């Protein structure tokens, strides 16, 4: 797992701001999260994710959204799909400020995995194997944490390489 100093270097290289910005501002500052920002805006979640939190966001990168079937993002960002999009996005958010070390410690104390409950209400399973942290969704899909511990004023962002889907 990367140390906090490496996470700060990673944040700087992604163009993310420091802990003086909130989660939405940091995502807006990064070219890697532009699709996520568009989705958050379409779902009406900007105000919520800019609020005091704290929130832990497992943030899919643009490449993660690009891996979805053609037309999925375009369909989900239509006004008629706002409720479904909100459910998918809040499935990536956990209440609290869970740094990578906290998540890894919880998983290791539980034999290598732990469960976190999302703001959407369903659980995600976090698995730790060596220095790799993966998240398994309700459908059995997995995402790998690629950029941990991007600390913000109202929580933390962990960049992931796939979009997680609730039941």
């Amino acid at each position: 797992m990367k140390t906090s100093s490496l996470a700060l270097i990673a944040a700087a290289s992604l163009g993310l701001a420091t802990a003086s910005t909130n989660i939405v501002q940091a995502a807006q500052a990064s070219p890697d999260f532009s699709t996520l920002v568009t989705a958050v805006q379409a779902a009406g979640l900007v105000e919520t994710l800019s609020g005091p939190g704290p929130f832990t966001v497992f943030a899919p990168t643009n490449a993660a959204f690009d891996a979805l079937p053609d037309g999925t993002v375009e369909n989900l960002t239509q006004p008629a799909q706002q409720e479904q999009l909100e459910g998918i996005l809040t499935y990536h958010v956990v209440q609290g400020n869970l740094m990578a070390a906290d998540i890894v410690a919880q998983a290791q104390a539980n034999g290598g995995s732990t469960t976190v409950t999302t703001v959407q209400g369903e659980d995600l399973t976090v698995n730790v194997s060596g220095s790799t942290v993966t998240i398994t969704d309700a459908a059995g899909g997995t995402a790998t944490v690629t950029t941990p511990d991007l600390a913000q004023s109202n929580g933390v962002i962990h960049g992931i390489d796939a979009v997680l889907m609730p039941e």
Side-chain angles (χ1 to χ4, degrees), residues 62-73:
N62 292 344
F65 281 104
D66 289 345
L68 294 173
D70 287 344
T72 301
V73 173

Side-chain angles (χ1 to χ4, degrees), residues 2 10 32 44 70 94 100 104:
K2 297 178 183 179
D32 292 326
D70 287 344
V94 176
V104 169

Side-chain angles (χ1 to χ4, degrees), residues 145-163:
V145 175
T146 56
T147 310
D149 292 342
L150 303 172
Q152 305 308 314
S153 63
N154 65 339
V156 61
I157 299 169
H158 301 291
I160 59 174
D161 67 355
V163 177

Side-chain angles (χ1 to χ4, degrees), residues 65-161:
F65 281 104
D66 289 345
L68 294 173
D70 287 344
T72 301
V73 173
E74 293 78 9
N75 180 51
L76 286 171
T77 54
Q78 296 301 309
Q81 301 301 321
Q82 183 176 356
E83 187 176 322
Q84 181 182 8
L85 180 60
E86 181 181 342
I88 292 168
L89 293 176
T90 57
Y91 190 58
H92 289 79
V93 180
V94 176
Q95 189 69 40
N97 193 28
L98 297 176
M99 301 302 284
D102 301 327
I103 297 168
V104 169
Q106 287 176 14
Q108 289 175 335
N110 197 34
S113 69
T114 190
T115 302
V116 295
T117 302
T118 69
V119 171
Q120 182 260 6
E122 293 181 34
D123 291 339
L124 294 170
T125 302
V126 180
N127 300 294
V128 176
S129 178
S131 63
T132 302
V133 177
T134 58
I135 303 162
T136 304
D137 64 21
T142 61
T144 300
V145 175
T146 56
T147 310
D149 292 342
L150 303 172
Q152 305 308 314
S153 63
N154 65 339
V156 61
I157 299 169
H158 301 291
I160 59 174
D161 67 355

